[in-house]
Structure formats: C-alpha cells, structure tokens
Amino acid sequence: MRCPGPTFTNRLASAGLLALSLASCVSASWTRESKFSAPDLVAFEQFAVGEDTLPTCLEQLGAPLWVWEAAGGQHAMAWGWLEDKNFGVRASIPLARFASASFSYARIDQRMQGIVLFFDAAWNLVGTRRGQLRDLTELEERRRPGIVESS
Amino acid sequence: MTRLLALAFCCLLGGCFVSRGTINDPISTAKVDGLEVGVSTSADVLKALGAPTDVVQLGSESAWRYDFTSFKRAGLVLIIVSFLNEDTRSDRVWVFFDEEGVLRNIGSTFQGKDAVYAMPWADIHE
C-alpha cells in the first residue's frame, strides 16, 4: 500500500481549512419554532354569536393568551399559536435568534395565528375573528392597568 | 501529520446542544380547582395563587392572569448545516371578577409540561 504523498496531504489540509472557513461564514439551516397549541378550532367554528357566553367559550377553548377592553365597551380575548419553519442558507449560524427570551406576554409575536372573541358587558358572545393575530388585535390600544385592592 | 489533520477535521464535524428555560412557577391545578365560582373572592384567589402576572380592568370588572411558560431548545450543528428547534408551552389561568370582587369565571390551560426537545423534522404535539 502506497503512503499518501505530499499532494494528498496538502489537498486534505486545504479541504479542512475550507470547511473551517465555511462553518464560520456560510451554513444552511433548518429551523422550527413552535409556540403554544391551537385551541379547539372545531368548537370555535361552532360558536354562535348571541348564544354562547364566556363560560362556554372558556370551557371549550381554555385560557386565552390575552384579555383586553375593546372599543365600544366590549371585552376581547385572544388565543394564539405559532408553527414557524424555515430552511435556507445563512451567513452565520442562527443561534443568536434563540438566545433571547422565548416569549413575552407584553408583545404579540407577529407571526402568530390566532382567534379573537368579543363579548358585551354581560359576557355574551358578540363577535369572532380568525387569522393573523397582528391583523386581528388592537392590544396596544385601550389597555389600562387594573388596581388590585387588598382586603 | 495526515492523522493530525484528520483528527482536527473530525473535531469540527459537528456539535449538538439542548437548553431549557422557564418563566414563573408552575401553576397548581389543585389550587385552581379549589376556587369556587360565585363564592371565592379576589382575596381567596390571592391567597391560593399569589400575585397575578397581569391585571386587566374590564369596565367595572377585572381579570387576572397567572402563567407559567416552559421552552426547550435543541440543536445539531454540522460543518455547513444546522438543525434547530424550539418548543414553547405554557400553563395559563385567567380569573374574572365582578365589580364586588367575586369570582365569576375561570379559564385554564395546562400545557407547560408538554414542551419537548426535538429536531425540526419530528412530529410533535400532533
């Protein structure tokens, strides 16, 4: 068996250095980010405006992500979920994307899908919406802090 | 020399990592089940669950949120390709009070323990 010559060694060294440089500069990545689960959408589609109330909606859908006072004295609540998949070539390994806090209730993830229910002051269902949460919600408006009174 | 280069090359082949984090403490289902609609007051809820993470005023009524969030990340990094997955699940409880501070409605979801480590191609939470 012949020993590899200097040419083979040089090529191997060059390939190793090229791989090292590629690893730090260019990489393909396949990422997925999942946040929360979609509520029972079959039940949501069967909700009847004017008939369903807050208790029946909470029983079917569970706890919402956000609750707020909407325009016209209505109350609104939103459920959101996210399944984001990406594949592509990046200039750097995207570890930094996952370095920050995963989720903040103070801010809607703009990629989230969601549903919104609207209730009147007596908690009767008066409206529903489904789609991109950023298109459905106006959470930055008409939210005011509540005062907790100690007994 | 060749063996040394080959060894160095193998060391650069890849790496993997897992990480996890939580926000707030898990919510006790037993304590939530102990609350009684129409009977329990805001003081009872405070005693059972502690301070809420959010309070929302709804006209003369109010709603409190309790939440616990768990996220798990897993990654596999090869020389020129990386696979990354992050899964976030939460426990959430909303309690609704009338203008007199009496509990009128409770909404709860307990999925915080369901966060998993996985690769992007894996079917999770199906």
Side-chain angles (χ1 to χ4, degrees), chain A residues 95-108:
Chain A
L95 291 178
R97 180 184 177 194
F98 297 91
S100 60
S102 182
F103 178 72
S104 169
Y105 280 94
R107 181 181 62 85
I108 300 174

Side-chain angles (χ1 to χ4, degrees), chain A residues 19 23 27-34 36-37 54-55 62-65 69 95 98 100 102 105 123 143 146 151, chain B residues 54 56-57 59 61 65 71 73 79-86 88-90 92 94 105 107 109 119-120 122 124:
Chain A
S27 67
S29 66
W30 182 357
T31 64
R32 179 179 66 186
E33 187 174 358
S34 304
F36 312 127
S37 299
L54 177 64
L65 285 178
E69 191 176 21
L95 291 178
F98 297 91
S100 60
S102 182
Y105 280 94
W123 292 109
R143 281 205 66 194
S151 60
Chain B
D54 194 14
V56 178
Q57 202 67 29
E61 302 177 357
R65 184 184 71 224
F71 53 88
R73 301 171 183 144
I79 293 181
I80 57 173
V81 61
S82 61
F83 305 98
L84 304 170
N85 189 87
E86 178 174 313
T88 302
R89 303 290 139 174
S90 72
R92 301 189 301 276
W94 278 94
N105 288 285
T109 296
M119 283 290 103
I124 58 175

Side-chain angles (χ1 to χ4, degrees), chain A residues 27-137:
Chain A
S27 67
S29 66
W30 182 357
T31 64
R32 179 179 66 186
E33 187 174 358
S34 304
K35 287 181 182 174
F36 312 127
S37 299
D40 187 345
L41 297 178
V42 173
F44 168 75
E45 295 295 339
Q46 294 176 347
F47 284 158
V49 171
E51 294 182 12
D52 284 290
T53 60
L54 177 64
T56 59
C57 295
L58 291 177
E59 183 179 350
Q60 297 285 341
L61 303 180
L65 285 178
W66 293 280
V67 174
W68 71 98
E69 191 176 21
Q74 294 182 350
H75 309 320
M77 49 191 66
W79 287 255
W81 63 95
L82 170 68
E83 185 78 13
D84 187 28
K85 299 179 182 179
N86 283 291
F87 182 82
V89 178
R90 300 177 185 273
S92 61
I93 298 174
L95 291 178
R97 180 184 177 194
F98 297 91
S100 60
S102 182
F103 178 72
S104 169
Y105 280 94
R107 181 181 62 85
I108 300 174
D109 192 314
Q110 299 300 308
R111 301 165 294 167
M112 294 182 84
Q113 295 287 318
I115 58 174
V116 179
L117 301 183
F118 295 90
F119 300 88
D120 61 16
W123 292 109
N124 298 307
L125 184 66
V126 297
T128 64
R129 295 185 193 172
R130 179 178 176 179
Q132 290 288 121
L133 264 188
R134 64 186 176 193
D135 299 328
L136 303 179
T137 59

Side-chain angles (χ1 to χ4, degrees), chain B residues 13-47:
Chain B
L13 275 180
C16 61
F17 73 91
V18 292
S19 68
R20 60 171 295 181
T22 60
I23 301 173
N24 299 325
D25 296 323
I27 301 173
S28 167
T29 56
K31 291 183 178 179
V32 175
D33 291 340
L35 301 174
E36 193 171 351
V37 173
V39 176
S40 299
T41 64
S42 56
D44 297 329
V45 175
L46 271 176
K47 186 177 180 180

